[in-house]
Amino acid sequence: MRKDVRILLVGEPKVGKTSLIMSLVSEEFPQVVPYRAEEITIPADVTPERVPTHIVDYSEAEQTDEQLSSEISKANVICIVYAVNNKKSIEKVTSHWIPLINDNTAKDSRVPVILVGNKSDLVEHSSMETILPVMNQYTEIETCVECSAKNLKNISELFYYAQKAVLHPTGPLYCPEEKRMKPACIKALTRIFKVSDLDNDGILNDNELNFFQRTCFNAPLASQALEDVKNVVRKNVIDGVCDNGLTLKGFLFLHTLFIQRGRHETTWTVLRRFGYDDDLELHQDYLFPLTLKIPPDCTTELNHNAYLFLQSVFDKHDKDRDCALSPEELKDLFDVFPYMPWGLDVNNTVCTNDEGWITYQGYLSQWTLTTYLDVQRCLEYLGYLGYSIISEQESQAAAITVTRDKKIDLQKKQTQRSVFRCNVFGDSGSGKSGFLQAFLGRNLTRQNIVSEEHMSYYAISTAYVYGQEKYLLLHEVFPDFDVLSDADMACDIVCLVYDASNPHSFEYCARVFKQYFMDTKTPCMMIAAKSDLQETKQLYSLTPLEFCRKHKMPPPQAFTCNTAGAPCKDIYTKLTTMAMHPHARLRCMCTCNRCTFCHLQNFINSELVQTVKAKLYTAILSRHVTQADLKSSAFWLRVSVGATVFAVLGFAMYRVLLKQR
């Protein structure tokens, strides 16, 4: 809605322009009329539309043509005043004033015009017969009002219509020559219908109509009023009502009827509630709310209510209930968008079914990815889907959670985040792309059928860490870089992939780690890809295992996507766990038999320890324990000594093994 309305009155001298303004302000006819009234401002609280209104007078005696042109360009609506008893002033409307106004306004943004027939108290006949052909000839003329400044007839109505012509213009909505709504209006109302059709059955049932009415007009329709509306549609439109609900055809007919009967404000109220501006484009303030501020080292995630909304949108369009969106279903979902937001690369970014259709999990993952990488784009998408309206929120910003600073997470040694970013580095041909696609459950056979042009450098899916569902976002970083960007450095964990069968592959990973991540607190993991091939000695000063030990990293993790079924996902769970707990310095979550953790596990289960344990048990607890023993301090002393010896022995072995590491 506009913040104010500027009304300009023009016309021939002595037709009563100034008298009309002064009669409106003083509510009586002025005895002395100046050449020109000063600009007046009517406060919002005394206008019908609750908008401040500026009324500007024009006087040929006091103003130049340049000043007139300037006022025309600034006006929101122009009232051409003529005297109903003066034929010359009526002729001047078409011969002078309308051409002058058109010359000073752009063709694609014509200013609405109101024809004002003043001095109706001086004649007994109406001028409407003369004016109607003029109104039919010029589409910019909104209406014609006959009034009298002397009798105060239709004075307030005149300025109300002028306000209405600005706030609820006919031009963008309706074509009077063809007597139908314009394509842009039909397109906007069609989107509104589809957003309001909560079950996507092509019909607005009573519950949906009441929700729509309450959303737009803050009041539900009475049952009888609802039936009356449907009866009007039934009588005028075939298929306007189906299964006792309003179809799109009936919905459009109702708004055409509102416009034809002069109730433009009804249609405009609906359009503006759903985010449209005067040009029937979705307003920037609606698509991109300014309330969201994202401090450095914070990320953006969807909250619980947003996921519930997106789930309902998915269910609404998954008509065959196969938990996947076919290309037709996906097209139907994005039909309320001005463009297709997801390209074919999305199918290689998230999980799909065997037919390549985005699954329910993949659908939510893609929304999570968009929110994390480009929250403004996510807000725009939610705006197209009508999130703020359907969820009854002030704006789409209510769907977003801004996580706290990562430094605070490290200090508190816990995180509230649900999305963790892993940047994947590796030399060309090391297997990075295969590593990303394997996360989506695709083995080498399925990866080979993916088109190169549709390949994605992102992969996102869920991983479970200690029973909690988290999102892991993998990002493949190009190997041919000179300096890493801030985006490449900003991640929760680094994954360094090398080809175990290529002797030159590991050197690249070692160089990246030492140059960029060795002195950071970002956890890193080394991946020995293509482990199904013959392992080759890496041509580097240290072996991968020695390099990891030196820099206190977990040992290299063997990985291959050349499997019969879906590749193993354990490695992704480990990455997510390390990203969640960077403060813990988790060095092992495996059974590699090479690291300290595994050595300790092997030691505890070794024959030596089991023998010592058995002998201690025999010496202390196996013999028959009498009631007197349980009361004897000597017995409990032996038990304590045995337990202490066992604990000291275990701790000593741990220190020895740790020193070796």
Side-chain angles (χ1 to χ4, degrees):
M1 185 73 73
R2 286 182 177 271
K3 294 181 179 180
D4 59 3
V5 173
R6 190 174 182 85
I7 304 172
L8 173 64
L9 274 68
V10 299
E12 294 301 296
K14 298 184 179 181
V15 293
K17 303 184 296 298
T18 307
S19 299
L20 287 169
I21 297 173
M22 297 183 71
S23 295
L24 174 72
V25 175
S26 62
E27 297 185 351
E28 63 179 6
F29 184 68
Q31 297 301 319
V32 179
V33 181
Y35 282 112
R36 176 174 173 265
E38 294 296 327
E39 179 180 329
I40 66 167
T41 299
I42 303 175
D45 56 354
V46 297
T47 62
E49 298 292 341
R50 299 290 175 181
V51 176
T53 303
H54 311 283
I55 302 176
V56 182
D57 192 11
Y58 164 71
S59 172
E60 184 178 318
E62 293 190 356
Q63 291 176 289
T64 64
D65 291 343
E66 289 75 15
Q67 288 174 314
L68 174 59
S69 298
S70 176
E71 290 294 351
I72 290 174
S73 64
K74 291 189 292 184
N76 302 128
V77 58
I78 298 175
C79 296
I80 303 177
V81 184
Y82 64 90
V84 294
N85 64 340
N86 186 336
K87 289 185 179 180
K88 184 179 179 181
S89 67
I90 297 176
E91 292 171 357
K92 282 281 192 173
V93 169
T94 55
S95 64
H96 176 68
W97 290 110
I98 292 180
L100 177 66
I101 292 168
N102 289 340
D103 289 343
N104 285 277
T105 55
K107 290 183 179 180
D108 56 349
S109 58
R110 289 289 172 86
V111 177
V113 172
I114 306 289
L115 298 184
V116 182
N118 192 24
K119 303 186 179 182
S120 63
D121 58 294
L122 299 180
V123 296
E124 294 182 358
H125 63 276
S126 173
S127 63
M128 293 305 293
E129 290 185 9
T130 307
I131 293 299
L132 279 175
V134 177
M135 294 178 63
N136 293 330
Q137 182 181 356
Y138 296 96
T139 57
E140 58 265 40
I141 298 176
E142 288 285 326
T143 188
C144 178
V145 183
E146 289 191 343
C147 57
S148 171
K150 187 173 184 179
N151 295 342
L152 306 182
K153 177 186 176 183
N154 289 340
I155 302 296
S156 59
E157 286 80 359
L158 157 64
F159 291 100
Y160 168 70
Y161 286 129
Q163 269 193 337
K164 187 177 176 182
V166 177
L167 302 176
H168 311 300
T170 308
L173 305 181
Y174 191 73
C175 181
E177 292 88 353
E178 300 178 11
K179 295 184 178 179
R180 63 184 181 88
M181 284 193 295
K182 291 186 174 179
C185 183
I186 293 173
K187 182 180 178 181
L189 290 172
T190 300
R191 171 186 167 267
I192 291 170
F193 179 90
K194 291 184 176 182
V195 169
S196 303
D197 183 13
L198 302 178
D199 54 9
N200 198 33
D201 63 351
I203 299 169
L204 295 184
N205 58 39
D206 287 358
N207 289 333
E208 291 166 341
L209 281 170
N210 269 313
F211 179 79
F212 171 82
Q213 181 75 11
R214 191 170 64 252
T215 297
C216 295
F217 304 101
N218 297 319
L221 276 173
S223 299
Q224 187 57 49
L226 198 57
E227 286 303 314
D228 292 343
V229 168
K230 287 188 278 190
N231 287 333
V232 170
V233 176
R234 284 191 186 98
K235 290 178 182 178
N236 291 276
V237 183
I238 299 174
D239 300 330
V241 176
C242 182
D243 294 336
N244 202 35
L246 204 62
T247 64
L248 175 60
K249 189 184 291 186
F251 184 74
L252 294 176
F253 165 77
L254 274 180
H255 283 281
T256 304
L257 196 62
F258 292 147
I259 296 167
Q260 290 174 342
R261 293 183 178 180
R263 293 176 55 189
H264 310 83
E265 63 273 14
T266 302
T267 301
W268 275 114
T269 299
V270 171
L271 289 167
R272 287 184 174 124
R273 178 66 184 90
F274 278 78
Y276 288 92
D277 60 17
D278 290 349
D279 298 321
L280 295 185
E281 298 288 342
L282 287 171
H283 202 283
Q284 292 298 296
D285 290 345
Y286 169 78
L287 292 176
F288 305 103
L290 302 176
T291 54
L292 201 62
K293 295 182 179 179
I294 307 165
D297 290 329
C298 297
T299 59
T300 47
E301 300 178 357
L302 294 167
N303 59 32
H304 179 66
N305 290 333
Y307 279 116
L308 289 178
F309 171 78
L310 292 171
Q311 288 168 15
S312 70
V313 173
F314 183 94
D315 293 338
K316 172 179 173 178
H317 293 89
D318 182 20
K319 294 181 179 179
D320 54 9
R321 297 292 182 265
D322 62 347
C323 289
L325 293 176
S326 68
E328 293 76 18
E329 291 171 340
L330 199 62
K331 182 180 178 182
D332 185 41
L333 189 154
F334 290 126
D335 197 38
V336 295
F337 284 55
Y339 56 87
M340 186 65 179
W342 292 358
L344 292 175
D345 60 322
V346 172
N347 294 57
N348 299 313
T349 305
V350 299
C351 294
T352 59
N353 63 11
D354 293 337
E355 296 179 79
W357 300 351
I358 295 175
T359 63
Y360 172 72
Q361 181 187 5
Y363 164 82
L364 293 181
S365 296
Q366 178 62 25
W367 277 100
T368 303
L369 175 67
T370 305
T371 308
Y372 187 94
L373 295 180
D374 191 349
V375 68
Q376 292 299 320
R377 184 63 57 87
C378 178
L379 293 173
E380 179 189 357
Y381 291 172
L382 289 173
Y384 293 138
L385 292 174
Y387 172 80
S388 61
I389 296 157
I390 302 303
S391 300
E392 300 182 80
Q393 300 288 343
E394 186 175 345
S395 73
Q396 295 89 267
I400 307 299
T401 296
V402 179
T403 63
R404 69 186 181 188
D405 194 315
K406 192 175 180 180
K407 297 184 186 69
I408 299 176
D409 286 349
L410 291 171
Q411 290 171 2
K412 293 183 175 292
K413 296 186 178 182
Q414 59 180 353
T415 182
Q416 299 170 336
R417 299 187 183 195
S418 298
V419 185
F420 299 93
R421 177 168 179 158
C422 172
N423 283 352
V424 181
F425 295 85
D427 204 358
S428 298
S430 60
K432 301 187 301 298
S433 299
F435 184 72
L436 265 67
Q437 291 299 304
F439 185 34
L440 306 178
R442 296 165 188 160
N443 58 19
L444 190 60
T445 304
R446 287 189 62 185
Q447 292 178 29
N448 287 334
I449 64 175
V450 177
S451 171
E452 185 70 26
E453 59 180 324
H454 298 149
M455 186 62 71
S456 173
Y457 296 102
Y458 290 93
I460 183 170
S461 190
T462 55
Y464 285 87
V465 178
Y466 304 132
Q468 298 179 0
E469 185 183 56
K470 303 294 180 182
Y471 283 95
L472 179 63
L473 164 59
L474 301 178
H475 171 48
E476 179 182 346
V477 181
F478 286 106
D480 52 344
F481 61 83
D482 295 324
V483 179
L484 285 182
S485 65
D486 292 339
D488 294 329
M489 294 285 290
C491 58
D492 300 297
I493 185 169
V494 172
C495 191
L496 301 163
V497 180
Y498 70 94
D499 181 355
S501 64
N502 183 349
H504 304 282
S505 185
F506 178 75
E507 182 181 359
Y508 176 88
C509 295
R511 179 163 55 87
V512 169
F513 175 81
K514 293 174 72 174
Q515 185 174 351
Y516 294 106
F517 298 105
M518 185 168 66
D519 297 325
T520 69
K521 294 183 179 180
T522 306
C524 299
M525 179 179 283
M526 201 72 71
I527 304 294
K530 305 182 183 181
S531 61
D532 57 303
L533 303 178
Q534 181 66 39
E535 185 175 0
T536 305
K537 181 181 179 182
Q538 296 296 317
L539 299 179
Y540 189 72
S541 58
L542 297 174
T543 67
L545 178 60
E546 291 170 342
F547 184 89
C548 291
R549 286 177 176 174
K550 179 180 178 181
H551 296 287
K552 300 180 180 179
M553 294 167 58
Q557 306 291 302
F559 177 82
T560 180
C561 56
N562 189 12
T563 56
C568 179
K569 290 192 175 184
D570 288 350
I571 184 65
Y572 304 105
T573 302
K574 297 173 185 178
L575 287 169
T576 312
T577 306
M578 290 178 67
M580 282 183 65
H581 305 285
H583 53 275
R585 292 289 178 184
L586 302 176
R587 297 180 185 171
C588 185
M589 294 162 285
C590 64
T591 54
C592 64
N593 293 323
R594 291 180 291 183
C595 60
T596 303
F597 179 83
C598 293
H599 280 310
L600 287 174
Q601 290 288 344
N602 292 337
F603 168 70
I604 291 172
N605 296 319
S606 66
E607 184 177 353
L608 171 64
V609 173
Q610 294 300 323
T611 302
V612 172
K613 178 182 175 182
K615 289 185 176 181
L616 285 171
Y617 179 82
T618 301
I620 299 173
L621 298 176
S622 291
R623 72 183 188 85
H624 181 67
V625 180
T626 64
Q627 194 70 20
D629 290 332
L630 294 176
K631 295 180 180 180
S632 170
S633 58
F635 171 78
W636 288 111
L637 179 61
R638 289 197 303 274
V639 171
S640 301
V641 170
T644 302
V645 170
F646 189 77
V648 169
L649 180 62
F651 183 71
M653 290 298 297
Y654 169 77
R655 292 298 300 271
V656 169
L657 290 170
L658 188 62
K659 188 175 181 180
Q660 291 177 355
R661 300 277 295 167

